[in-house]
């Protein structure tokens, strides 16, 4: 790996491991409520303890999201956010931070419309490290994966409680960076799954993929973050942050992020 | 050509399974169960029995004499007009073709041991059909319907409730059919174990476009038999309106390999395909990914989905089934459109001339059927799929005509 293209994801997990602690991944909706406020939040996240940033790309029809993220996406679209704007956020962020991984998360159509190859090149240029595309299961992601491989970007896959032993190798094969375990069968923002289930699922996925496993969906409080982080390599919080940022603004969102990050790092 | 899709659910470049990982296992399980059912003669026998005794099939293929006379009257160069036959799906139990598909899917759900059925609906016809068969099979039924559609299809909302279904009002997005589908998918992701999602058209992830087409293809099989009996020849053209495209695929499928039969779909042009207010995905859209498949969509320059517009709730959808996208690209089917105004005029004309009140959806096919009949002249033979009856639309018509009822 050249120094010009640092592998920020692998470095991040290596650092966490050498410090013997779990990481904290925070999701925000790019462009919500507008470009400037969203970018300011993004820039403040690493100092608040965020190890990896998940940057949401809005879509009109987010069929895998609950109301909090759906409404955030609609606010963002109203502020004229598009894939280009999201890339610009990453570019701006990279001007002052070259270590925190940025993973964009969204739905296939906007990047399909741009063209997967064009998107991959532009994402690399903007300093993005990987992507999670919710409606591209392994059966449909070959084309995007090829474009990502050209630019050494990670296409991160999701495993869920419905991903059984027979299917897990299909999901973990060709996966890069880390595997995202969606701990509940449901939309974003739902209640947390049983912790015992999470522990065994993480062990199973780690074994199958040989990669770090981050766990998300339904984590809202520092207590939950600590409990999930015990089993996972990192814990993801999305809806709770998006909701707090929308209702109470930047400072409260950062306060929440700090408390969640501290709770995750405790383990 | 009639054996598409391939094993990945692709019709050429269209179709596929663009769903969240949580839904992959259930759609793979559904596909497996469907393959087993296809190979089980008892499944087909139960379908046929219920189709005959509960739905009232076969539906008649009716020679629309006065519609034909009307077409002939103002025909091009006094060529006369082709004979117009109507396939009377409006006479099915629950009033539309939708029930054919629901029968197949709920028999399959029963076979898979599912006890909770969810569905999306636009005009309410698919919701009513699902509520009806769920009642018949003793299953719990939840229908997702956009708030806007609930307003314009009140009689159907009440019918669903009478049938014991819960109607969930969907307020997100444009509060129409596409948003109802989003919410149904959200419900399914959350309740995958006991729930079966009964999709109302030839859209969604594989195997839905194939499966729904297969269940609806009873329309075309009957039609072919009936027209051969009545006219001793195949028609020159088969015409159907297009929302997601299930009544059209249902009547087209049997004729796909009959290269001399023109297949014509009619999309909803709303206030015109050159305005922002239409639902014509093939005539005014481009390929994209929505609701589990790659197909033609109404979308903006950034790949965000545009709102569709049609006076008829059942056509008010920004996508189209992937097989239609494929038939369009290879040129096997032609896709025309009809505006709101044309549909409203045709609704009244068909009612007055034939004593048949068509669904506003089906009414979109009438003006193009008359055009084709005139082009063909009096040696021609055309069949239009009259996909449903218009009782549900009388309030909408009264509003348009400024009549209080
Ligand atoms: C009577 C009738 N025709 C047509 C449609 C459109 O659906 P499709 O294109 O799947 O046949 C509907 C949908 O609600 C309908 O109720």
């Amino acid at each position: 790996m050249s120094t010009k293209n640092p592998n920020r994801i692998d470095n991040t997990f290596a650092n966490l491991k050498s410090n013997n602690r779990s990481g904290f991944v925070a999701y925000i909706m790019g462009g919500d409520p507008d470009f400037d406020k969203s970018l300011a939040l993004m820039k403040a996240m690493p100092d608040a303890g965020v190890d990896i940033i998940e940057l949401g790309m809005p879509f009109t029809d987010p069929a895998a999201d609950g109301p909090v993220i759906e409404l955030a996406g609609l606010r963002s679209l109203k502020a004229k956010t598009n894939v280009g704007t999201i890339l610009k956020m990453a570019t701006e962020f990279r001007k002052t931070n070259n270590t925190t991984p940025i993973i964009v998360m969204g739905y296939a159509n906007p990047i399909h419309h741009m063209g997967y190859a064009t998107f991959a090149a532009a994402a690399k240029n903007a300093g993005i490290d990987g992507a999670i595309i919710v409606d591209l299961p392994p059966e449909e992601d070959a084309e995007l994966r090829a474009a990502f491989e050209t630019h050494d970007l990670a296409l991160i896959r999701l495993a869920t409680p419905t991903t059984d032993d027979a299917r897990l190798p299909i999901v973990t094969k060709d996966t890069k960076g880390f595997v995202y375990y969606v701990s509940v069968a449901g939309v974003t923002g739902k209640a947390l799954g049983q912790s015992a289930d999470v522990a065994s699922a993480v062990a199973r996925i780690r074994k199958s993929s040989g990669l770090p496993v981050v766990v998300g969906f339904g984590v809202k409080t520092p207590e939950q973050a600590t409990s999930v982080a015990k089993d996972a390599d990192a814990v993801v919080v999305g809806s709770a942050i998006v909701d707090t940022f929308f209702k109470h603004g930047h400072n409260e969102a950062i306060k929440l992020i700090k408390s969640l990050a501290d709770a995750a790092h405790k383990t | 050509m009639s054996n598409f899709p391939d094993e990945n659910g692709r019709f050429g470049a269209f179709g596929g399974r663009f769903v969240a990982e949580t839904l992959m296992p259930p759609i793979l399980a559904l596909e497996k169960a469907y393959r087993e059912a296809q190979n089980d003669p008892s499944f087909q026998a139960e379908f046929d029995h219920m189709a005959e005794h509960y739905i009232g099939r076969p539906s008649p293929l009716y020679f629309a004499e006065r519609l034909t006379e009307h077409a002939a009257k103002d025909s091009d160069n006094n060529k006369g007009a082709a004979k117009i036959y109507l396939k009377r799906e409006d006479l099915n139990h629950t009033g539309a073709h939708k029930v054919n598909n629901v029968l197949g899917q709920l028999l399959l759900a029963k076979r898979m041991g599912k006890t909770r059925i969810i569905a999306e609906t636009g005009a309410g016809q698919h919701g009513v059909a699902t509520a009806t068969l769920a009642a018949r099979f003793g299953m719990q039924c939840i229908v997702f319907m956009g708030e806007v559609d609930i307003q314009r299809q009140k009689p159907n909302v009440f019918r669903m409730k009478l049938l014991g279904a819960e109607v969930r009002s969907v307020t997100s997005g444009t509060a129409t059919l596409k948003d109802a589908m989003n919410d149904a998918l959200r419900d399914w992701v959350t309740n995958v174990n006991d729930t079966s999602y009964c999709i109302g058209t030839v859209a969604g992830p594989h195997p839905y476009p194939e499966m729904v087409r297969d269940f609806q293809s009873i329309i075309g099989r009957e039609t072919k038999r009936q027209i051969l009996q009545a006219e001793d020849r195949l028609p020159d053209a088969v015409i159907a309106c297009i929302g997601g495209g299930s009544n059209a695929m249902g009547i087209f499928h049997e004729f796909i390999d009959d290269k001399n039969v023109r297949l014509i779909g009619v999309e909803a042009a709303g206030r015109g395909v050159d305005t922002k207010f239409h639902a014509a995905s093939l005539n005014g859209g481009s390929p994209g990914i929505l609701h589990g498949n790659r197909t033609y969509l109404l979308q903006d320059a950034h790949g965000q989905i545009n709102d569709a517009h049609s006076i008829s709730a059942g056509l008010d959808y920004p996508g189209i089934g992937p097989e239609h996208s494929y038939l369009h690209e290879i040129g096997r089917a032609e896709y025309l459109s009809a505006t709101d105004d044309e549909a409203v005029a045709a609704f009244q004309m068909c009612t007055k001339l034939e004593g048949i009140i068509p669904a506003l959806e089906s009414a979109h096919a009438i003006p193009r059927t008359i055009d084709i009949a005139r082009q063909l002249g009096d040696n021609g033979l055309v069949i239009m799929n009259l996909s449903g009856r218009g009782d549900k639309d009388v309030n909408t018509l009264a509003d348009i005509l400024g009549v209080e009822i």
Side-chain angles (χ1 to χ4, degrees):
Chain A
M1 195 93 345
S2 75
T3 44
K4 192 163 165 282
N5 283 331
N7 191 330
R8 301 183 194 98
I9 298 174
D10 291 352
N11 290 348
T12 297
F13 282 106
N15 282 341
L16 286 166
K17 195 165 189 175
S18 62
N19 290 326
N20 202 13
R21 67 186 201 184
S22 293
F24 180 61
V25 182
Y27 171 99
I28 60 168
M29 173 58 78
D32 169 38
D34 60 33
F35 183 88
D36 292 340
K37 291 196 179 95
S38 184
L39 179 61
L41 180 63
M42 186 181 179
K43 283 182 165 172
M45 284 162 74
D47 280 345
V50 172
D51 298 297
I52 296 175
I53 296 173
E54 262 182 35
L55 184 59
M57 302 189 287
F59 183 48
T60 39
D61 292 82
D65 283 302
V68 168
I69 289 179
E70 180 191 12
L71 293 173
L74 295 178
R75 288 193 297 272
S76 170
L77 287 172
K78 217 165 172 192
K80 302 251 180 289
T81 306
N82 55 47
V83 176
T85 328
I86 299 293
L87 298 173
K88 202 168 146 211
M89 278 184 76
T91 307
E92 289 297 318
F93 178 88
R94 281 281 170 255
K95 286 180 179 166
T96 52
N97 177 312
N98 198 28
T99 51
T100 309
I102 303 171
I103 310 294
V104 291
M105 180 162 185
Y107 293 79
N109 199 51
I111 63 170
H112 174 269
H113 197 75
M114 176 179 252
Y116 290 152
T118 309
F119 171 72
K124 185 70 189 184
N125 235 335
I128 284 165
D129 301 282
I132 301 172
I133 305 300
V134 183
D135 52 352
L136 285 186
E139 283 80 353
E140 300 291 353
D141 73 7
E143 201 185 330
L144 182 62
R145 194 154 25 88
F148 268 34
E149 264 157 28
T150 307
H151 297 283
D152 207 9
L153 292 166
L155 184 57
I156 288 147
R157 289 209 179 127
L158 303 170
T160 74
T162 61
T163 312
D164 59 21
D165 284 334
R167 186 167 169 77
L168 190 57
I170 298 173
V171 171
T172 54
K173 186 172 167 272
D174 308 318
T175 307
K176 279 217 175 130
F178 58 89
V179 179
Y180 186 142
Y181 179 61
V182 174
S183 62
V184 276
V187 293
T188 49
K190 276 262 158 188
L192 191 65
Q194 293 288 317
S195 58
D197 297 357
V198 172
S200 68
V202 167
R204 216 160 53 96
I205 297 164
R206 223 182 249 144
K207 191 161 163 227
S208 169
S209 66
L211 289 173
V213 179
V214 314
V215 177
F217 269 45
V219 181
K220 291 190 169 66
T221 65
E223 295 70 36
Q224 289 169 334
T226 302
S227 133
V228 170
K230 262 194 216 109
D231 302 315
D233 295 291
V235 52
V236 191
V237 179
S239 297
I241 294 170
V242 170
D243 198 40
T244 301
F245 182 51
F246 172 59
K247 288 187 180 143
H248 307 292
H250 183 97
N251 292 343
E252 288 300 311
I254 290 297
K255 215 189 277 173
L256 174 67
I257 289 170
K258 268 197 182 118
S259 68
L260 290 164
D262 287 347
H265 290 150
K266 250 199 309 212
T267 55
Chain B
M1 195 188 306
S2 52
N3 40 27
F4 271 94
D6 68 16
E7 75 273 21
N8 296 315
R10 293 289 181 140
F11 303 88
F14 303 101
R17 307 178 179 104
F18 294 86
V19 295
E21 171 61 23
T22 315
L23 289 181
M24 277 307 299
I27 65 171
L28 293 172
L30 177 66
E31 185 183 350
K32 185 161 170 277
Y34 178 53
R35 297 284 171 246
E36 283 163 12
Q38 278 180 308
N39 291 323
D40 178 354
S42 76
F43 181 82
Q44 193 56 48
E46 195 173 0
F47 182 91
D48 291 344
H49 180 84
M50 287 289 284
E52 180 181 348
H53 297 281
Y54 193 71
I55 297 178
R57 304 204 68 90
S59 66
L61 183 69
Y62 161 76
F63 173 43
E65 202 173 342
R66 298 199 65 209
L67 215 49
T68 304
E69 276 171 19
H70 167 84
K73 216 169 49 199
D74 301 309
S75 63
D76 312 351
N77 319 316
N78 292 324
K79 279 198 303 189
K83 277 179 133 177
I84 299 172
Y85 277 81
L86 300 176
K87 178 62 172 166
R88 297 291 306 275
E89 292 298 298
D90 59 311
L91 293 178
N92 292 340
H93 181 41
T94 71
H97 69 292
K98 296 285 179 187
V99 70
N100 305 323
N101 163 47
V102 175
L103 173 60
Q105 286 199 52
L106 291 213
L107 284 174
L108 192 58
K110 194 159 72 116
R111 211 182 146 91
M112 294 175 76
K114 304 285 182 183
T115 53
R116 183 174 176 273
I117 305 296
I118 57 171
E120 84 295 335
T121 199
Q125 289 305 107
H126 175 60
V128 166
T130 308
T132 297
L133 277 153
R136 171 63 183 77
F137 293 145
M139 294 163 160
Q140 184 192 357
C141 178
I142 294 153
V143 179
F144 294 86
M145 188 168 187
E147 200 175 37
V148 170
D149 293 336
I150 287 182
Q151 286 309 316
R152 56 180 166 178
Q153 301 289 342
K154 280 184 190 149
N156 272 346
V157 174
F158 187 58
R159 283 165 83 196
M160 287 186 266
K161 289 181 180 165
L162 283 174
L163 289 158
E166 179 190 335
V167 179
R168 289 215 189 139
S169 171
V170 176
T171 53
S172 58
T174 51
T176 61
L177 184 54
K178 83 171 170 74
D179 310 287
M181 197 147 179
N182 289 335
D183 266 17
L185 285 166
R186 290 179 181 122
D187 182 291
W188 200 24
V189 165
T190 312
N191 301 292
V192 284
N193 286 335
D194 65 340
T195 298
S196 186
Y197 180 16
C198 180
I199 295 185
T201 191
V202 286
H206 180 60
Y208 283 99
E210 174 191 353
M211 187 171 74
V212 176
R213 174 201 72 195
D214 291 350
F215 292 140
Q216 289 292 3
S217 66
I218 191 169
I219 302 173
R221 284 196 304 276
E222 287 175 8
T223 301
K224 192 180 240 182
R225 205 169 59 229
Q226 289 165 321
I227 198 68
L228 288 174
Q229 192 162 39
E231 297 284 343
D232 206 22
R233 75 162 177 110
L234 292 177
D236 298 301
V238 173
I239 303 164
C241 70
I242 305 244
S246 68
N247 87 88
M249 267 331 300
I251 197 162
F252 287 179
H253 186 61
E254 184 68 19
F255 294 99
I256 291 215
D257 293 326
D258 298 313
K259 294 286 156 52
N260 294 324
V261 179
R262 286 169 69 186
L263 304 176
I264 298 167
V266 183
E267 297 191 301
R271 294 183 213 157
V273 284
D274 47 359
T275 71
K276 279 182 159 180
F277 304 97
H278 65 79
S281 316
L282 287 175
N283 283 291
S286 56
I289 295 163
L290 180 69
H291 293 154
N293 66 96
R294 186 174 186 278
T295 193
Y296 274 73
L297 300 173
L298 303 182
Q299 55 187 327
D300 69 12
H302 303 291
Q304 302 294 340
I305 307 305
N306 281 340
D307 300 350
H309 166 87
S310 170
I311 188 160
S312 89
L315 306 185
D316 205 346
Y317 179 70
I320 182 168
E323 192 165 9
H324 287 294
S325 293
Y326 176 66
L327 295 175
H328 168 70
E329 288 222 333
I330 64 167
R332 175 62 190 95
E334 304 156 57
Y335 294 88
L336 309 173
S337 66
T339 63
D340 287 351
D341 290 348
E342 287 181 298
V344 168
F347 180 101
Q348 297 172 81
M349 181 186 69
C350 181
T351 303
K352 290 214 171 104
L353 286 179
E354 293 290 352
I356 296 171
I357 304 180
L360 260 178
E361 289 78 16
S362 325
H364 282 73
I366 296 173
R368 297 299 80 84
T369 299
I370 288 173
D371 292 350
I372 303 287
R374 285 176 178 160
Q375 285 164 20
L376 287 166
D378 59 9
N379 287 325
L381 182 60
V382 302
I383 299 173
M384 187 194 110
N385 198 13
L386 188 74
S387 56
R389 68 175 88 122
D391 307 38
K392 68 184 176 58
D393 296 312
V394 294
N395 289 331
T396 304
L397 252 285
D399 278 352
I400 291 166
L401 303 175
V403 178
E404 209 161 302
I405 49 174

